[in-house]
Amino acid sequence: MGTARRHPRSLPRPRDLPHHLPPRPTPLLGPLSQTLTALLFALLTVVGVLAMMLIISPLLTLLALISIPLTLAVGTAVAKRSQRLFGDQWRLTGELNAHIEESYSGHELVTVFDREGAFRETFANRNAELKKASHLAQVVSGLIAPLVLFIGNLSYVLLCVVGAFSVISGQLTLGGVVAFVQYSRQYSQPLGTLASMSNLIQSGIASAARVFALLDEPEEDPGSQGRLPVVRPRRITFEHVSFGYDRELTIKDLDLVVEPGRTAAIVGASGAGKTTLMNLLMRFYDVGSGHILVDGTDITSASRDALRSEIGLVPQEPWLFGGTIRDNIAYGRPDATLEQVEQAAQVCGVSHIVNALPQGYDTVVDSADGCLSEGERQLICIARAFIADPAVLILDEATSAVDARTELLLQRATSRLRHGRTCLVIAHRLSTIRDADVIVVLQDGRIVEKGTHTQLLRAGGEYHRLSQYQFHEPSTLPALDPDQRSSR
Ligand SMILES: Nc1ncnc2c1ncn2[C@@H]1O[C@H](COP(=O)(O)OP(=O)(O)OP(=O)(O)O)[C@@H](O)[C@H]1O
Ligand SMILES: [Mg+2]
């Protein structure tokens, strides 16, 4: 599962994954282990008892066996229906859990926007749906046992009647018939036991189906095992690259060369395809057409591990995992000493923030969540990339606004991080990329402008417009028509 392909539509989003799976393994493992033992026991009993029945009367045995296909047909029909209902039950359980988690993790926003009522209503609706689905699944699967018992009893009556005639006609003794009827009871009993466990089995199968659907997702192709040439810093080339998550192209025939040790900044409106471009370079997705080359080697001809070991990523969302700040910084280089961690923090301007915390580098990030601002988390992510010392750096700048002092710290940290590496910076704050060697303006998956900050400002095109928006010059913003104004 570790290498499962990141497929946009068929897989649940990572944060939804826990809710996609059954809440705990018991519904899957419990019935399986209980049922397997019962099944083995039932098989042995049936074989032994059938042998005894055949010895007493082959004719009565044939009659007793007629009930089996009937039981199977009825059992399968009901089981199919109940499996579908159990599937609904697991799906609704997942949705309800996702809703609970969402309202819990975002409860401040929910309160601020006064959405408690709406959340409570959705919860009540989903809960009611789940209750209905669970009841229905239990009722339908609960039908199997009485139905099997009913068919068993019918065959019992038939045996008694035919047995009585056999005694009258002298074909069998009374003792023989009584013994046969007892045996036939023993032979139908294991079937009844299995049937009574059917709701457990159906629930187990339904929950297993969800797990296996995920496991059956095609794995990421491990690709070629080639290596990239040993050169540093590296040249990155995008050649006629086109790519779409689905049918529509997100990146359209894009050409870009980033010279070794230089910084290319990519700017553009939200959804222009900036992060997508980075996803392609990291091979989270493969290009639809065209090539991406690192020092002249197509990245598809090197293994993903070899490629990714060269690239450092500061992601758009500053992701810190539950652990100490030290572990978080040393993530890209687990053998780093405390001195190295402290040095990275120092260079990236995060050391004074960490030192101000009572437990310093040993502060567990979970509990420090409240005391680390978004900007500080970004700084820690930068220190993490710094300590890993990659040859190529991708910096997907966070969109969240930070105060002027943190902005300055971030600027300093990124320019130190960029030093001596080939960098691709996705900039949302244009102030951070004034000194980039080349700035590329991406619009709707295409490069519409390319040049340095001064050249692009002078050209008075898209970049010029973007920079004016950013510095909030109201005269440059599109005018609102009177209707829009009054609705604000
Ligand atoms: N996993 C995905 N599956 C399907 N579509 C996606 C996926 N990721 C992104 N997209 C779509 O691709 C387009 C480009 O997204 P991308 O994340 O590259 O934009 P961006 O330029 O990084 O935007 P932002 O400035 O908001 O970060 C968007 O329309 C987005 O909805
Ligand atoms: Mg993005």
Side-chain angles (χ1 to χ4, degrees), residues 357-401:
L357 295 169
Q359 281 158 321
Y361 289 89
D362 291 324
T363 310
V364 175
V365 179
D366 271 348
S367 59
D369 260 358
C371 56
L372 283 183
S373 72
E374 194 75 359
E376 289 161 353
R377 296 165 81 85
Q378 286 168 32
L379 283 172
I380 292 180
C381 289
I382 292 176
R384 179 193 292 159
F386 185 85
I387 207 168
D389 192 24
V392 176
L393 178 75
I394 297 177
L395 220 155
D396 201 345
E397 207 179 67
T399 30
S400 53

Side-chain angles (χ1 to χ4, degrees), residues 8-9 245 250 269-276 285 316 428:
R9 302 264 179 252
Y245 289 100
T250 305
S270 195
K274 305 181 293 291
T275 302
T276 306
Y285 297 91
Q316 188 165 6
H428 294 104

